[in-house]
Amino acid sequence: KKKLKISGRELASVPAQVFGLDQLQVLEMSPERESCLRYRMELLPPEISHLRNLTCLYVDSNNLKKIPAEIGTLSHLERLTLSNNRLSSLPPEMGALQRLHSLHLANNSLTELPAPLCQLRSLTFLDVSDNKIRTVPSSIQHLEKLETLLLLFNSLESLPEEVCLLRNLRTFWLGNNHLQSLPASFGELVNLDWGYNYCSCNFEGNPLEIPPPEVCSRGPEEIRAYFLSFHR
């Protein structure tokens, strides 16, 4: 079998037999769509490294506090979902997942955007909503293929200018942070869909002053014009 879903009313650990399935490509241990179940895994065992052919690993809504360094050996991994756990950090070895294009980290306890993530040049989707993130490293510019970046419900007070180099961004949610200003080059993110209600770029819940929210709602041209006049 190449796909396996493990379910149980109170799943607390990965059955040892799973690590013998060396041809496994998809492993799902998440109750996301089964509200009657309650999973309690606190540890993803280092033996996860035995599943060298994994392309998708789903472990949302567990009780994970730590991800083992061995996760970095899963060189075929393309999708990893870790939302709704208790993670406060990620191992640097995650930077080796060079095929990863979708990473879900919402609703954890991360206080910063981990530097290893900025090495994932194949990443197109990154969700770090509902954490405690205060800063975004300038190295985020290396995520040149990123199309979706969700940072809402964090503790961001500023954004680095380098975030404006992510020219493939199509969705960028920043709502409910502590942002008072945006980078001067923010208007260069022209691939964002600034359509109805500027739904692909959300600023609501921030004390924005530079530029004011009404300017942001008009799209990139108005933002660029604002900063040109602001610096005169």
Side-chain angles (χ1 to χ4, degrees), residues 7-22:
S7 61
R9 287 200 171 274
E10 294 195 4
L11 183 69
S13 62
V14 185
Q17 302 94 311
V18 171
F19 302 119
L21 304 174
D22 56 3

Side-chain angles (χ1 to χ4, degrees), residues 2-193:
K2 295 189 176 182
K3 182 176 181 179
L4 177 64
K5 177 176 174 60
I6 302 176
S7 61
R9 287 200 171 274
E10 294 195 4
L11 183 69
S13 62
V14 185
Q17 302 94 311
V18 171
F19 302 119
L21 304 174
D22 56 3
Q23 297 303 309
L24 198 62
Q25 293 179 347
V26 178
L27 177 56
E28 184 174 350
M29 297 179 289
S30 170
E32 281 291 281
R33 292 172 294 280
E34 300 178 58
S35 58
C36 63
L37 301 181
R38 184 179 180 187
Y39 293 6
R40 294 182 173 181
M41 281 197 301
E42 293 187 2
L43 177 67
L44 194 61
E47 288 81 6
I48 194 73
S49 63
H50 297 173
L51 305 179
R52 294 293 177 90
N53 288 298
L54 271 189
T55 60
C56 300
L57 177 59
Y58 303 92
V59 279
D60 300 273
S61 300
N62 276 279
N63 201 25
L64 294 175
K65 300 175 182 177
K66 185 178 180 181
I67 301 299
E70 287 78 5
I71 194 82
T73 65
L74 303 179
S75 58
H76 294 282
L77 203 60
E78 298 176 0
R79 183 178 176 87
L80 177 59
T81 65
L82 295 166
S83 296
N84 305 316
N85 280 287
R86 298 176 62 187
L87 299 171
S88 58
S89 64
L90 297 173
E93 288 79 5
M94 278 190 66
L97 301 176
Q98 290 302 310
R99 294 192 186 183
L100 197 67
H101 61 72
S102 182
L103 178 58
H104 300 242
L105 291 164
N107 194 21
N108 276 286
S109 300
L110 299 171
T111 57
E112 60 182 0
L113 192 63
L117 300 190
C118 298
Q119 302 172 31
L120 303 175
R121 297 182 179 239
S122 60
L123 212 58
T124 60
F125 180 97
L126 175 58
D127 183 0
V128 283
S129 305
D130 204 2
N131 278 276
K132 302 173 183 177
I133 294 173
R134 293 180 177 274
T135 59
V136 174
S138 59
S139 54
I140 196 170
Q141 65 180 299
H142 299 310
L143 302 182
E144 52 199 33
K145 294 185 179 179
L146 201 61
E147 296 179 1
T148 300
L149 178 56
L150 308 182
L151 282 163
L152 60 165
F153 291 101
N154 275 288
S155 301
L156 290 171
E157 296 181 355
S158 64
L159 290 173
E161 193 75 33
E162 286 81 2
V163 78
C164 303
L165 297 174
L166 302 176
R167 301 296 169 81
N168 285 311
L169 271 186
R170 298 184 179 278
T171 302
F172 192 14
W173 287 0
L174 290 161
N176 293 91
N177 279 282
H178 307 311
L179 296 171
Q180 294 185 21
S181 64
L182 297 177
S185 301
F186 200 87
E188 300 302 322
L189 296 174
V190 294
N191 281 325
L192 292 174
D193 177 11

Side-chain angles (χ1 to χ4, degrees), residues 161 164 167 182-192 194 210-212 215-232:
E161 193 75 33
C164 303
R167 301 296 169 81
L182 297 177
S185 301
F186 200 87
E188 300 302 322
L189 296 174
V190 294
N191 281 325
L192 292 174
W194 295 90
I210 305 173
V215 173
C216 293
S217 67
R218 299 182 198 133
E221 290 184 8
E222 289 289 334
I223 292 175
R224 288 198 298 269
Y226 173 86
F227 278 112
L228 280 174
S229 62
F230 186 77
H231 289 294
R232 284 174 183 169

